[in-house]
């Protein structure tokens, strides 16, 4: 299948974890995937592997978002707003407000910026907008204040978009994972502290994986055009709720 014959998907945060897995799954489903992320070496290798394209993009940079939009052109079928992250686990009383601003910028403002810029192409392509949310956008937990606030903000963006685009041929979905053991998430939250990152998953025999979420991304993207999955909450079986987690000794 030639590049021009394939529907087009954009995946932000494609250099690792859920983003990289989603790019691979979408490519296997027949999409040409534009892999967008800051780490150019990683996305170039991924794009070569899946016969896609690499576009270096910091989603918090207006110039990078404009360059991504130019690379997409006038027709787009899938936008996966996956870039995001959590920084720190301090209580509100000890909040690093710079980290809070960073979380809001990447999890909320960047989702709005990328979606706004690519929306004309998505309308032309009768596309699907998928935002990678979190169960943190549904239920608060101690130490998660900044991330919880940001993911609640992302959820609000999704719900507002769906209302505003009701008369357009564009679907809007949020995927809200619980515990996912993916490359880099916990390490980023704890500034590279491997012991703290490992402790998050200690005793949990089967947390979700990046491939589990990527499989859902592809399912959403390949539904018939009249079917919209508003929100999918997915947790490992071991996690009955945000605070109810089965850990083996």
């Amino acid at each position: 299948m030639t590049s021009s014959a394939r529907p087009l998907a954009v995946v932000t945060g494609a250099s690792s974890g859920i983003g990289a897995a989603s790019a691979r799954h979408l490519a296997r489903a027949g999409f040409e995937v534009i892999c967008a992320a800051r780490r150019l070496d990683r996305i170039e290798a991924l794009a070569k592997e899946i016969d896609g394209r690499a576009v270096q993009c910091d989603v918090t940079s207006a110039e990078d978002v404009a360059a991504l939009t130019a690379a997409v052109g006038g027709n787009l079928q899938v936008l996966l707003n996956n870039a995001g992250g959590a920084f720190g686990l301090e209580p509100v009383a000890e909040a690093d407000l710079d980290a809070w601003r960073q979380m809001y910028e990447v999890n909320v403002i960047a989702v709005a910026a990328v979606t706004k810029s690519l929306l004309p192409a998505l309308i032309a392509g009768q596309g699907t907008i998928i935002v990678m949310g979190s169960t943190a956008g549904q239920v608060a937990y101690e130490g998660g204040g900044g991330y919880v606030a940001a993911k609640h903000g992302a959820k609000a963006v999704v719900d507002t978009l769906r209302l505003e685009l009701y008369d357009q041929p564009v679907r809007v979905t949020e995927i809200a994972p619980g515990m996912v053991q993916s490359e880099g998430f916990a390490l980023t939250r704890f500034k590279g502290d491997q012991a703290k990152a490992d402790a998050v998953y200690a005793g949990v025999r089967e947390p979700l994986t990046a491939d589990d979420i990527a499989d859902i991304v592809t399912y959403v993207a390949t539904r018939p055009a009249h079917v919209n999955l508003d929100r999918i909450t997915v947790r490992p079986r071991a996690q009955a709720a945000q605070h109810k987690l089965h850990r083996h000794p």
Side-chain angles (χ1 to χ4, degrees):
M1 185 178 295
T2 64
S3 174
S4 60
R6 291 180 290 170
L8 183 62
V10 168
V11 177
T12 67
S15 59
S16 65
I18 292 171
S22 295
R24 291 186 176 100
H25 280 242
L26 287 166
R28 286 199 291 269
F31 288 87
E32 179 191 7
V33 182
I34 294 180
C35 307
R38 292 174 298 173
R39 290 179 285 183
L40 184 59
D41 57 336
R42 287 199 170 207
I43 55 173
E44 283 181 335
L46 177 60
K48 183 177 181 180
E49 173 193 334
I50 65 174
D51 190 23
R53 287 187 271 157
V55 176
Q56 189 170 29
C57 182
D58 177 347
V59 292
T60 66
S61 161
E63 293 79 10
D64 283 9
V65 171
L68 174 62
T69 303
V72 167
N75 200 287
L76 177 63
Q77 281 66 54
V78 175
L79 167 60
L80 173 57
N81 280 301
N82 171 74
F87 312 116
L89 199 64
E90 300 83 12
V92 174
E94 300 169 15
D96 178 344
L97 297 182
D98 287 336
W100 278 49
R101 292 185 184 95
Q102 187 180 6
M103 283 186 280
Y104 196 82
E105 187 73 28
V106 71
N107 290 290
V108 184
I109 300 296
V111 167
V114 173
T115 302
K116 175 184 176 182
S117 192
L118 291 176
L119 190 54
L122 284 158
I123 292 172
Q126 300 186 35
T128 302
I129 300 166
I130 304 172
V131 174
M132 194 58 60
S134 169
T135 53
Q138 302 172 7
V139 180
Y141 59 91
E142 297 93 331
Y147 186 60
V148 166
K151 285 303 187 184
H152 272 76
K155 175 178 178 289
V157 171
V158 169
D159 290 344
T160 304
L161 267 173
R162 193 180 302 112
L163 292 171
E164 293 173 348
L165 297 176
Y166 80 101
D167 59 348
Q168 298 297 322
V170 177
R171 302 181 294 182
V172 185
T173 297
E174 180 193 4
I175 299 173
M179 176 177 278
V180 182
Q181 190 169 14
S182 66
E183 179 189 358
F185 181 85
L187 272 176
T188 298
R189 166 165 257 174
F190 296 113
K191 299 179 180 178
D193 188 320
Q194 189 68 58
K196 285 185 178 180
D198 290 344
V200 171
Y201 310 103
V204 181
R205 289 182 178 170
E206 291 184 294
L208 296 175
T209 67
D211 279 315
D212 292 328
I213 307 305
D215 183 54
I216 296 169
V217 168
T218 305
Y219 181 81
V220 170
T222 55
R223 292 312 83 208
H226 70 287
V227 177
N228 193 90
L229 297 162
D230 288 5
R231 177 165 291 107
I232 300 174
T233 300
V234 52
R235 295 184 176 94
R237 188 179 60 200
Q239 188 181 33
Q242 204 77 344
H243 291 80
K244 190 76 170 178
L245 186 65
H246 184 209
R247 295 184 188 270
H248 292 267

